[in-house]
Every structure is written in structure tokens, then in C-alpha cells.
Amino acid sequence: MTRRVDGYALGTFSDGSGSFAGLVAGDRVLRLEDVGTVRDLLDDWEAKRSALPELAATLSSGGGTPLAELTVQAPVEPRQIIQAGANYRSHVAEIVLSGREADDTRSDEELRRDAERMMDDKARTGSPFFFSGLPAAICGPDDDVLLPAESSQVDWEVELTAVIGKAAHRVPRERALEHVAGFTVCNDVSARDLQFPAEHRPLGGDWIRAKNRPTFLPTGPFIVPTEQLPGYRELEITLDLNGARKQSDVAANLLFDVEALVSAISAATTLHPGDLILTGSPAGNGGKWQRWLQPGDVLEAAISGIGAQRNTCVPEPR
């Protein structure tokens, strides 16, 4: 996949001899020799971020290494992954419609209007739904996604993902973005037929078997700092399956925005630099289309201003 960054971004790269943290601008990458990993850089984000524009400027005169000569890996190894569920208005409406009871006589339009009222009430008086992910599920933006033999309903969910740059505990909404270093792209791949097994349904979803398998969280390609984006609400979020558009929305349609998510999570736990907050997925995943991932399928998850992934689905080795 050909990539180019307007402005600058952070990433993790390999040149065949090992992995390293890098600053990418245009189509070139500057190895960050003195910072260790990207997470090490984020641990000292407030002190280090001011030097990035000047470093990026050195790439405009041909410094660094061509991006095309490097392997792009997941940009950061987080300590924690927190995921928001049912957090796009379009997705919630889709869930309400698909979950219609057999004796419900309301039209689709009536159901949508009732869902809109419910979402308005929830956004005003309710709270986000969260679950946690495992870093072991992360893979790179170009890596294969491994389809397990025991699932026949593997699904996709492109998500705008906030990357923490400053420890956060009990952060008020109005200061929440001070704790976000930037944004990246995640695809929350999920085995739907393993998510709510009958024997465990009274206990809730089985997030380990359904969502935390190896390669089930393609991440990257880069972390774009907040100051490099005009405003995250304007970002366009899309997912194509074999070239056909399946998901499309903008971050302005989040039910609970990034500020609300950071504030709510930090009220319950402490967020650390490098942690990922997946903000939820728009409508259009496999359940809507009744189309599940198969070997050979190609997923392209993208967010404007941040970048794109391209992952091929293959059977998991047995």
C-alpha cells in the first residue's frame, strides 16, 4: 500500500534488522534514535512533542528513509485497551432495527425515530458502555487477519482510536483532550458466533474468544498528533471489503464523544501514556450485510487525515 503523510505522524517501523520508532512526514521516515519505543516517547510526551515539527522539517529536504522501503508495524504497544460499544448513532439504530421483536408493529421509520429519542436521552443522562481488550490481539496495518476454524461469523468494525499521551485519573470533560496525544485507526475484528454463547449468555459477552484472538485488532498505520488534525469530529471513517464500501460515517456522529469517553474511563481507572481508547464503530458491519469474512477477503479500514490499513484474511494455522 502506498502511503503519504501530510504534516507528520509517529509510527513503528522495521527495516529488516529490527523495529524502531520513527517520525514520518510526506513519504519519508526519520529514525528517532534517542527515544526508545513510541510508548517511551509518549511517556515523556509533553517534553518531547515540541521538537517534532523541526525534526519533520528535515525530511522535506530528503532526509531519513523512504517509507516504501520499510515495514509499517502497529504504532504503539499499549498497556491497556479500552473499547466503547454501541457508540455511533447509525450503529445503535441498526441494532434496534435488527433486534425488532416479532410482535412489534412499528414501521422502520417509527423504530428509527424511537431509537433517536432513546439515544438523545442516553447521551444526555446515561453513560458509555465499555469493555477491555488485550494487547496480544494487536497486529500491524498490513498484516494478515487469521480466521479461526471454530467461527463462521467473523466480522469487522473500523474505529477511530484515541491514544493517551498523559496519565489521566478523574479528568473533567473540559480537560480530557489535554490527555490525548493523537489518533490512530483500529479494526475491531469479532467472531460474532462466539460472542454470546448460550451457556455463558447470563454472564454477558465472551470478549476473549470473540474479540481478542491474535490479529483481531489491526492497528495503525500511524499516530497523528492532535495538533496535526483540524478537529477529530470532521474525520471520515470508512471500511471497504474487497473494494466495496461497507461502513462510512463521521466522528461527529459519536453518541459519546472522545472527551466524554476519556472522562468516564478515567473516573473508573487510570489511563497511561500509550493506552488506546477505541471509540466505537459505525453501522455497516457483517451483521447488517449478512456477510462474514472468508479466506482471501481484503479489508481496507481508513480514516481521513490518519491513514489506511489493508489486511488479507487467511485461515488460522492449526
Side-chain angles (χ1 to χ4, degrees):
M1 173 178 285
T2 300
R3 294 188 171 102
R4 182 180 179 86
V5 172
D6 295 329
Y8 59 85
L10 298 170
T12 299
F13 306 91
S14 173
D15 59 4
S17 62
S19 299
F20 61 91
L23 182 70
V24 55
D27 60 358
R28 303 190 72 84
V29 177
L30 178 69
R31 183 189 292 258
L32 298 175
E33 300 282 2
D34 301 325
V35 302
T37 66
V38 170
R39 198 173 84 185
D40 292 332
L41 173 61
L42 294 171
D43 278 336
D44 197 21
W45 182 239
E46 289 304 309
K48 297 289 180 61
R49 66 191 303 175
S50 60
L52 298 182
E54 184 176 346
L55 291 174
T58 66
L59 295 173
S60 63
S61 57
T65 302
L67 177 57
E69 295 180 6
L70 301 172
T71 298
V72 182
Q73 300 179 335
V76 67
E77 295 183 9
R79 297 173 176 89
Q80 303 177 109
I81 302 170
I82 310 295
Q83 298 179 238
N87 198 36
Y88 269 86
R89 303 181 76 85
S90 60
H91 194 191
V92 174
E94 188 175 274
I95 291 170
V96 170
L97 285 169
S98 65
R100 177 204 297 268
E101 298 292 340
D103 59 353
D104 192 332
T105 61
R106 289 174 292 175
S107 68
D108 285 358
E109 185 56 36
E110 288 172 325
L111 270 176
R112 286 187 185 278
R113 285 199 300 268
D114 289 345
E116 287 288 338
R117 285 193 289 269
M118 178 269 291
M119 286 185 277
D120 289 340
D121 288 342
K122 182 176 176 63
R124 186 170 56 252
T125 64
S127 60
F129 171 72
F130 297 118
F131 56 95
S132 59
L134 298 179
I138 288 177
C139 70
D142 303 316
D143 290 342
D144 290 342
V145 168
L146 305 179
L147 302 180
E150 58 268 39
S151 175
S152 60
Q153 295 182 356
V154 179
D155 200 354
W156 58 84
E157 290 187 322
V158 60
E159 306 202 23
L160 174 67
T161 299
V163 184
I164 296 299
K166 178 182 176 183
H169 184 61
R170 298 195 178 278
V171 174
R173 173 190 169 83
E174 59 270 19
R175 299 192 62 184
L177 288 184
E178 297 175 16
H179 296 262
V180 176
F183 293 90
T184 192
V185 185
C186 282
N187 186 357
D188 179 27
V189 179
S190 306
R192 298 300 185 193
D193 46 354
L194 305 180
Q195 191 166 345
F196 299 104
E199 64 177 313
H200 300 314
R201 189 177 296 272
L203 303 175
D206 192 334
W207 309 109
I208 299 296
R209 290 185 179 89
K211 287 179 172 283
N212 283 286
R213 294 172 175 273
T215 74
F216 265 30
L217 195 62
T219 301
F222 312 119
I223 298 169
V224 177
T226 54
E227 57 267 25
Q228 291 293 296
L229 296 168
Y232 75 85
R233 290 173 179 82
E234 302 174 23
L235 300 178
E236 298 177 2
I237 300 161
T238 62
L239 184 137
D240 293 352
L241 174 64
N242 299 331
R245 183 62 43 90
K246 297 298 184 183
Q247 292 186 281
S248 180
D249 214 325
V250 293
N253 290 326
L254 285 166
L255 193 56
F256 294 97
D257 61 15
V258 173
E259 293 91 330
L261 298 180
V262 171
S263 183
I265 296 168
S266 72
T269 190
T270 300
L271 290 164
H272 299 281
D275 287 352
L276 301 181
I277 300 176
L278 279 67
T279 61
S281 185
N285 54 20
K288 170 183 171 59
W289 304 103
Q290 288 301 293
R291 167 63 159 89
W292 311 106
L293 293 175
Q294 303 168 5
D297 283 343
V298 176
L299 291 162
E300 294 176 283
I303 300 179
S304 61
I306 298 178
Q309 309 172 348
R310 191 175 192 276
N311 305 96
T312 300
C313 299
V314 301
E316 183 180 33
R318 300 292 291 189

